[in-house]
Amino acid sequence: KQEVTQIPAALSVPEGENLVLNCSFTDSAIYNLQWFRQDPGKGLTSLLLIQSSQREQTSGRLNASLDKSSGRSTLYIAASQPGDSATYLCATTSYNNNDMRFGAGTRLTVKP
Amino acid sequence: DGGITQSPKYLFRKEGQNVTLSCEQNLNHDAMYWYRQDPGQGLRLIYYSQIVNDFQKGDIAEGYSVSREKKESFPLTVTSAQKNPTAFYLCASSLGPQGNTEAFFGQGTRLTVV
C-alpha cells in the first residue's frame, strides 16, 4: 500500500520568504502526483498536477518538482504572502489500482 | 457551472441511525472517491469507483457503504456499524480510470453524532 509522508507538519514564516514543502512516497508506480491547498473547514483546491513523465510544473509563485526514482516531490512557494496560509497536501494516484492517497499535510502560517 | 457538489454541508445523526451523504458531479468524470478527515489529520480513503456499477474498498471501508448506479452520483451511507462517524467527509472525482488527470473536490460534509 502506498504511504505518503509530508514534512514538516507545520511551518511558520515571515511574509516574503521563499519556502519548500516536502512530500515523499514509498511506491514509485504512480500516474501522477498532485498538490492541494485546504483552508479551514473547506474542501481541497488543486494547485499543481505533475504527471509521472514530468519533472516539474509551475503556476505563478508555485513550483512543484517530482523525482519518482527517489519517491520525492517538493512544492516551492516564492515570496510568501499571508494569504498563502493554509494546509498543503500532496497525493499520488497509484498505477496498480488507481487509488489516490494523501499525506497528512503541512500547515503553513505566513506572518505579516 | 461544472463542478462537484456535496450535500448537505452539515449533518447530525443520532446513535444507531444510518445517514447518506450525497456527491454529484457534472464533469463527466469516470472516477469518484470518498475520504474521511479527522481534526488535524490527513485524508483517509473510504471507497472509490473507477466506473459505473463498480467500486472498491479503501483503507477504512468498515461501517460504510456506497453505490455507483449513475456516472454523476456516488452516495456514501454511514451505517450504524460505524462506531465513530463524527468527521469531515470529502468527495472527489477525476477523469480516470487511468488516473492521469487532475482530481477535484467538493466542499465537504461535516457529520456529527448527537
Side-chain angles (χ1 to χ4, degrees):
Chain A
K1 187 185 87 170
Q2 176 78 285
E3 299 288 340
V4 182
T5 304
Q6 291 188 245
I7 295 173
L11 182 63
S12 180
V13 300
E15 182 176 3
E17 270 202 12
N18 302 326
L19 57 100
V20 174
L21 308 181
N22 297 292
C23 173
S24 61
F25 47 94
T26 56
D27 184 359
S28 62
I30 60 172
Y31 277 117
N32 58 52
L33 185 142
Q34 197 165 350
W35 283 93
F36 295 88
R37 168 186 173 135
Q38 185 178 29
D39 293 293
K42 304 292 186 183
L44 277 65
T45 300
S46 177
L47 297 173
L48 288 165
L49 172 73
I50 312 176
Q51 310 290 5
S52 61
S53 58
Q54 297 175 323
R55 297 284 291 183
E56 65 177 322
Q57 281 288 331
T58 298
S59 177
R61 294 182 294 108
L62 305 180
N63 176 276
S65 68
L66 175 64
D67 184 344
K68 269 201 339 177
S69 60
S70 67
R72 296 178 187 274
S73 176
T74 61
L75 178 66
Y76 175 82
I77 302 177
S80 59
Q81 302 170 357
D84 294 331
S85 297
T87 296
Y88 291 81
L89 300 108
C90 66
T92 63
T93 300
S94 169
Y95 184 83
N96 293 322
N97 54 15
N98 289 307
D99 60 349
M100 184 169 55
R101 295 188 178 275
F102 283 79
T106 294
R107 188 173 69 254
L108 173 66
T109 303
V110 180
K111 298 179 179 178
Chain B
D1 279 18
I4 180 166
T5 302
Q6 291 186 241
S7 63
K9 188 173 181 180
Y10 299 97
L11 187 57
F12 297 90
R13 190 194 94 168
K14 292 183 179 179
E15 295 276 358
Q17 279 185 338
N18 293 353
V19 291
T20 298
L21 284 59
S22 172
C23 179
E24 303 275 335
Q25 51 94 4
N26 59 5
L27 301 167
N28 200 32
H29 284 174
D30 284 310
M32 297 187 75
Y33 306 82
W34 272 107
Y35 294 90
R36 170 182 172 139
Q37 187 176 36
D38 293 285
Q41 299 189 28
L43 278 66
R44 292 186 289 169
L45 183 63
I46 305 173
Y47 270 98
Y48 64 107
S49 168
Q50 297 300 311
I51 199 168
V52 174
N53 293 322
D54 187 43
F55 49 83
Q56 290 79 39
K57 293 182 179 180
D59 296 330
I60 55 166
E62 185 175 352
Y64 300 97
S65 66
V66 293
S67 63
R68 189 81 189 277
E69 297 176 0
K70 298 187 298 182
K71 189 176 187 177
E72 306 80 31
S73 179
F74 191 40
L76 174 73
T77 296
V78 184
T79 74
S80 56
Q82 171 51 238
K83 297 307 178 188
N84 185 23
T86 295
F88 189 48
Y89 291 86
L90 288 158
C91 179
S93 71
S94 68
L95 193 55
Q98 292 305 310
N100 209 22
T101 58
E102 190 174 12
F104 296 90
F105 276 79
Q107 286 302 301
T109 293
R110 189 167 299 281
L111 173 64
T112 303
V113 174
V114 296

